[in-house]
């Protein structure tokens, strides 16, 4: 694995974590808003 591959894998993991957190945050806000 080259350094460039490591950088891209790191970016992919970071993007996945951000998207997952944002999705959970949106669902939480929608659920909280209905109560």
């Amino acid at each position: 694995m080259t350094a460039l591959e490591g950088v891209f894998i790191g970016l992919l993991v970071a993007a996945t974590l951000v998207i997952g957190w944002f999705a959970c945050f949106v669902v939480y806000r929608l659920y909280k808003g209905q109560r």
Side-chain angles (χ1 to χ4, degrees):
M1 185 166 97
T2 64
L4 192 62
E5 282 179 309
V7 169
F8 277 112
I9 290 171
L11 285 173
L12 191 65
V13 170
T16 303
L17 289 173
V18 170
I19 291 167
W21 177 86
F22 188 72
C24 291
F25 179 73
V26 169
V27 170
Y28 170 75
R29 288 294 300 270
L30 286 172
Y31 180 73
K32 189 177 175 187
Q34 286 188 346
R35 295 185 66 189

